[in-house]
PDB file of all heavy atoms in Angstrom:
ATOM      1  N   ARG A1155     113.223 167.098 130.761  1.00  0.00           N
ATOM      2  CA  ARG A1155     112.440 168.244 131.257  1.00  0.00           C
ATOM      3  C   ARG A1155     113.103 168.921 132.459  1.00  0.00           C
ATOM      4  O   ARG A1155     113.499 168.362 133.488  1.00  0.00           O
ATOM      5  CB  ARG A1155     111.054 167.731 131.840  1.00  0.00           C
ATOM      6  CG  ARG A1155     110.183 167.043 130.850  1.00  0.00           C
ATOM      7  CD  ARG A1155     109.584 168.040 129.767  1.00  0.00           C
ATOM      8  NE  ARG A1155     108.545 167.421 129.024  1.00  0.00           N
ATOM      9  CZ  ARG A1155     108.791 166.478 128.069  1.00  0.00           C
ATOM     10  NH1 ARG A1155     110.024 166.386 127.629  1.00  0.00           N
ATOM     11  NH2 ARG A1155     107.735 165.968 127.375  1.00  0.00           N
ATOM     12  N   ASP A1156     113.513 170.192 132.183  1.00  0.00           N
ATOM     13  CA  ASP A1156     114.140 171.019 133.252  1.00  0.00           C
ATOM     14  C   ASP A1156     115.400 170.370 133.871  1.00  0.00           C
ATOM     15  O   ASP A1156     115.484 170.326 135.038  1.00  0.00           O
ATOM     16  CB  ASP A1156     113.120 171.348 134.458  1.00  0.00           C
ATOM     17  CG  ASP A1156     111.906 172.139 133.903  1.00  0.00           C
ATOM     18  OD1 ASP A1156     111.982 172.898 132.882  1.00  0.00           O
ATOM     19  OD2 ASP A1156     110.776 171.823 134.545  1.00  0.00           O
ATOM     20  N   GLY A1157     116.228 169.806 132.934  1.00  0.00           N
ATOM     21  CA  GLY A1157     117.490 169.226 133.557  1.00  0.00           C
ATOM     22  C   GLY A1157     117.188 167.661 133.835  1.00  0.00           C
ATOM     23  O   GLY A1157     118.175 166.952 133.948  1.00  0.00           O
ATOM     24  N   GLY A1158     116.028 167.290 134.035  1.00  0.00           N
ATOM     25  CA  GLY A1158     115.777 165.838 134.466  1.00  0.00           C
ATOM     26  C   GLY A1158     115.157 165.147 133.266  1.00  0.00           C
ATOM     27  O   GLY A1158     115.377 165.483 132.103  1.00  0.00           O
ATOM     28  N   PHE A1159     114.293 164.134 133.720  1.00  0.00           N
ATOM     29  CA  PHE A1159     113.808 163.235 132.725  1.00  0.00           C
ATOM     30  C   PHE A1159     112.445 162.969 133.083  1.00  0.00           C
ATOM     31  O   PHE A1159     112.084 162.614 134.204  1.00  0.00           O
ATOM     32  CB  PHE A1159     114.718 161.980 132.490  1.00  0.00           C
ATOM     33  CG  PHE A1159     114.381 161.389 131.081  1.00  0.00           C
ATOM     34  CD1 PHE A1159     114.970 161.683 129.862  1.00  0.00           C
ATOM     35  CD2 PHE A1159     113.507 160.308 130.969  1.00  0.00           C
ATOM     36  CE1 PHE A1159     114.788 160.999 128.805  1.00  0.00           C
ATOM     37  CE2 PHE A1159     113.175 159.559 129.842  1.00  0.00           C
ATOM     38  CZ  PHE A1159     113.819 160.020 128.678  1.00  0.00           C
ATOM     39  N   VAL A1160     111.530 162.807 132.141  1.00  0.00           N
ATOM     40  CA  VAL A1160     110.122 162.630 132.448  1.00  0.00           C
ATOM     41  C   VAL A1160     109.510 161.388 131.482  1.00  0.00           C
ATOM     42  O   VAL A1160     109.801 161.507 130.384  1.00  0.00           O
ATOM     43  CB  VAL A1160     109.223 163.790 132.248  1.00  0.00           C
ATOM     44  CG1 VAL A1160     107.631 163.428 132.476  1.00  0.00           C
ATOM     45  CG2 VAL A1160     109.622 164.911 133.295  1.00  0.00           C
ATOM     46  N   VAL A1161     108.831 160.529 132.168  1.00  0.00           N
ATOM     47  CA  VAL A1161     108.212 159.373 131.390  1.00  0.00           C
ATOM     48  C   VAL A1161     106.708 159.559 131.764  1.00  0.00           C
ATOM     49  O   VAL A1161     106.385 159.295 132.938  1.00  0.00           O
ATOM     50  CB  VAL A1161     108.679 157.978 131.641  1.00  0.00           C
ATOM     51  CG1 VAL A1161     107.889 156.957 130.851  1.00  0.00           C
ATOM     52  CG2 VAL A1161     110.217 157.894 131.243  1.00  0.00           C
ATOM     53  N   ALA A1162     105.813 159.825 130.720  1.00  0.00           N
ATOM     54  CA  ALA A1162     104.418 160.092 131.097  1.00  0.00           C
ATOM     55  C   ALA A1162     103.601 159.225 130.109  1.00  0.00           C
ATOM     56  O   ALA A1162     103.862 159.152 128.902  1.00  0.00           O
ATOM     57  CB  ALA A1162     104.082 161.433 130.910  1.00  0.00           C
ATOM     58  N   ALA A1163     102.617 158.477 130.622  1.00  0.00           N
ATOM     59  CA  ALA A1163     101.658 157.742 129.857  1.00  0.00           C
ATOM     60  C   ALA A1163     100.205 158.034 130.193  1.00  0.00           C
ATOM     61  O   ALA A1163      99.793 158.198 131.217  1.00  0.00           O
ATOM     62  CB  ALA A1163     102.076 156.164 130.054  1.00  0.00           C
ATOM     63  N   ARG A1164      99.497 157.901 129.050  1.00  0.00           N
ATOM     64  CA  ARG A1164      97.941 158.063 129.261  1.00  0.00           C
ATOM     65  C   ARG A1164      97.463 156.716 128.888  1.00  0.00           C
ATOM     66  O   ARG A1164      97.508 156.274 127.591  1.00  0.00           O
ATOM     67  CB  ARG A1164      97.389 159.106 128.506  1.00  0.00           C
ATOM     68  CG  ARG A1164      95.968 159.296 128.662  1.00  0.00           C
ATOM     69  CD  ARG A1164      95.468 160.414 127.571  1.00  0.00           C
ATOM     70  NE  ARG A1164      95.522 159.902 126.261  1.00  0.00           N
ATOM     71  CZ  ARG A1164      94.645 159.112 125.698  1.00  0.00           C
ATOM     72  NH1 ARG A1164      93.682 158.719 126.310  1.00  0.00           N
ATOM     73  NH2 ARG A1164      94.937 158.710 124.511  1.00  0.00           N
ATOM     74  N   LEU A1165      96.548 156.038 129.765  1.00  0.00           N
ATOM     75  CA  LEU A1165      96.234 154.604 129.530  1.00  0.00           C
ATOM     76  C   LEU A1165      94.723 154.721 129.566  1.00  0.00           C
ATOM     77  O   LEU A1165      94.099 154.717 130.741  1.00  0.00           O
ATOM     78  CB  LEU A1165      96.734 153.648 130.424  1.00  0.00           C
ATOM     79  CG  LEU A1165      98.371 153.733 130.549  1.00  0.00           C
ATOM     80  CD1 LEU A1165      98.767 152.769 131.741  1.00  0.00           C
ATOM     81  CD2 LEU A1165      99.022 153.166 129.296  1.00  0.00           C
ATOM     82  N   PRO A1166      93.958 154.721 128.486  1.00  0.00           N
ATOM     83  CA  PRO A1166      92.454 154.560 128.612  1.00  0.00           C
ATOM     84  C   PRO A1166      92.070 153.259 129.150  1.00  0.00           C
ATOM     85  O   PRO A1166      92.644 152.161 128.849  1.00  0.00           O
ATOM     86  CB  PRO A1166      92.128 154.734 127.128  1.00  0.00           C
ATOM     87  CG  PRO A1166      93.244 154.398 126.247  1.00  0.00           C
ATOM     88  CD  PRO A1166      94.442 154.649 127.090  1.00  0.00           C
TER      89      PRO A1166
END
Side-chain angles (χ1 to χ4, degrees):
R1155 298 288 191 280
D1156 300 329
F1159 197 87
V1160 174
V1161 177
R1164 185 187 63 82
L1165 305 171

